[in-house]
Amino acid sequence: MKSLKRLLLQLVEQLQRYPGLMAVLAFTSGIASYILVERKESLAQFIAVFLLLSWLWLLSDNWLRKRIEQRFGVAIPPTLVRFTLQMVHQESLFFALPFFLAVTSWNHGQAAFTALIMLCALISLIDPLYYKKLAPRRTLFVVFHAFALFVVLLVILPTLFQLTTSQSLGAALAIAGVLSLPSLSTLMPTGHWWRFPLVILLLAVLSAGLWQLRSFVPPAALRLTAITLSHEIDYAQRKPGPSIHRLDAAALHQQGLFSFTAVKAPRGLNEKIYHVWLQNGKEVDRIVLDITGGREQGYRAWTHKQKFPANAEGKWQVKVVTESEQLIGLTRFTVTPAITPPPQ
């Protein structure tokens, strides 16, 4: 056991000497997993299981350390525990980052969420920031810990269990909240009966607030590979006709518009999405679509909208969203006044 302990300490020392190595490995595994998840390869699922187990190990850290010391007489040094926690944070954030980079709509509030992941990943990489600025501030550290867990769950849950994006978001919020209870409880004064109910209430309020901001969370498991507005669809080839970005009101009312989308998702994932039509920022229609994951070019589907308001002029958007209102992508078009034919 002494040799094992010495080996672990040497490993920690080497990794601390090269702190960027773990982040590079984590980011590389994230890119590899992003590619493999789309094909549902066993390696991608293995990485997801490893991350999930590492989080469960961290949550039972104190109990495990006591049992190991009682059973084998080996006291795990605090340095190793702190480094392991940092390593799991790095692995989780850099693993999830490629998924979010690929699906974020950068002209939307989603950019702030993905930027926050990048900031947290950077903090986990820089030791002076992580150990001297973040770790001593207990409340901030608990929030950081819960956020890293929430982010990695958004990627893992659709991968392992084929949960829909909406189900994954709700489950990730619930799991991150429940598993943060031991950490949050340390922030409350001891010896009071209201301590635990207050923690539960605090978690419920935070979860409800985050749920209201769910549209800013990119759907990590879904990626829009194509969106086209057209007057026609080639049903045999499942391809849209010429793309339209500007048309007059007469043509819109006479022919309507097809909204063609291709959405890429992990194999085995069945998802319900919506085409939301907005005129000058106001929703006028919402059409549901069922998609299935696993296709190389994304699941191709379309809706045909023929009924438009009498006064259809203005700026239009077609948003592709999940059941929980998470934006997958959007396109825009402009409707101009009808062109009146010249007098004969």
Side-chain angles (χ1 to χ4, degrees):
M1 286 298 168
K2 291 183 179 180
S3 60
L4 177 60
K5 180 179 178 181
R6 186 165 53 252
L7 181 63
L8 288 174
L9 290 175
Q10 289 175 352
L11 177 62
V12 170
E13 183 181 351
Q14 290 299 317
L15 288 174
Q16 286 181 327
R17 184 177 299 177
Y18 305 102
L21 179 61
M22 194 63 234
V24 171
L25 292 175
F27 188 69
T28 303
S29 71
I31 294 175
S33 301
Y34 173 74
I35 296 170
L36 293 171
V37 160
E38 296 175 341
R39 298 167 174 82
K40 202 180 176 183
E41 295 285 348
S42 58
L43 179 58
Q45 293 196 350
F46 169 79
I47 295 173
V49 169
F50 167 76
L51 279 176
L52 196 56
L53 290 177
S54 67
W55 276 98
L56 293 175
W57 178 83
L58 282 175
L59 291 167
S60 55
D61 170 61
N62 289 331
W63 181 85
L64 279 177
R65 280 196 293 151
K66 290 178 181 178
R67 294 299 176 272
I68 291 173
E69 187 172 359
Q70 291 173 359
R71 179 69 177 83
F72 302 103
V74 177
I76 300 178
T79 304
L80 178 60
V81 176
R82 288 196 301 269
F83 177 75
T84 303
L85 184 58
Q86 181 189 20
M87 183 180 68
V88 173
H89 283 155
Q90 287 182 4
E91 177 68 23
S92 300
L93 293 166
F94 280 98
F95 166 82
L97 187 56
F99 290 86
F100 287 97
L101 288 175
V103 302
T104 297
S105 296
W106 295 101
N107 57 349
H108 186 265
Q110 290 180 350
F113 185 87
T114 303
L116 182 59
I117 298 176
M118 296 169 67
L119 176 62
C120 290
L122 184 63
I123 291 173
S124 72
L125 179 63
I126 302 174
D127 286 353
L129 287 177
Y130 186 85
Y131 288 112
K132 295 182 180 180
K133 301 295 183 182
L134 177 66
R137 293 168 171 80
R138 185 64 185 174
T139 303
L140 190 60
F141 190 74
V142 169
V143 173
F144 182 92
H145 187 79
F147 180 72
L149 177 59
F150 173 67
V151 166
V152 79
L153 284 172
L154 289 177
V155 177
I156 286 176
L157 292 176
T159 304
L160 290 182
F161 306 109
Q162 279 78 52
L163 296 185
T164 66
T165 305
S166 302
Q167 292 170 341
S168 298
L169 181 61
L173 273 174
I175 294 171
V178 170
L179 297 185
S180 297
L181 276 174
S183 299
L184 281 174
S185 62
T186 62
L187 303 177
M188 300 295 175
T190 58
H192 299 280
W193 65 267
W194 46 262
R195 184 168 174 262
F196 185 73
L198 182 60
V199 172
I200 297 296
L201 178 62
L202 178 62
L203 276 178
V205 171
L206 287 174
S207 299
L210 288 172
W211 183 256
Q212 295 303 314
L213 298 173
R214 61 191 181 276
S215 63
F216 293 95
V217 180
L222 302 177
R223 178 161 58 92
L224 191 70
T225 60
I227 180 167
T228 304
L229 297 172
S230 180
H231 282 313
E232 58 189 38
I233 290 285
D234 185 336
Y235 292 94
Q237 299 294 323
R238 299 179 67 86
K239 291 182 179 180
S243 179
I244 293 175
H245 297 285
R246 190 180 186 89
L247 72 165
D248 66 80
L252 182 69
H253 286 292
Q254 290 172 6
Q255 302 179 61
L257 275 179
F258 285 94
S259 175
F260 174 91
T261 53
V263 179
K264 202 164 189 177
R267 190 179 303 277
L269 182 65
N270 296 313
E271 184 91 16
K272 185 175 288 186
I273 64 172
Y274 295 87
H275 285 178
V276 182
W277 296 73
L278 300 100
Q279 180 188 18
N280 299 320
K282 182 180 178 181
E283 181 176 330
V284 297
D285 205 356
R286 179 178 291 252
I287 307 174
V288 65
L289 280 172
D290 291 309
I291 65 169
T292 303
R295 288 172 172 82
E296 184 68 22
Q297 301 301 323
Y299 187 90
R300 294 172 292 174
W302 56 85
T303 56
H304 188 196
K305 182 169 173 58
Q306 294 176 293
K307 295 182 179 179
F308 288 88
N311 182 19
E313 294 87 359
K315 303 290 185 180
W316 283 77
Q317 289 183 352
V318 180
K319 291 184 177 181
V320 186
V321 301
T322 67
E323 288 185 282
S324 53
E325 298 296 325
Q326 292 171 266
L327 179 68
I328 304 173
L330 62 85
T331 187
R332 297 180 173 87
F333 67 100
T334 302
V335 177
T336 59
I339 300 174
T340 55
Q344 299 294 328

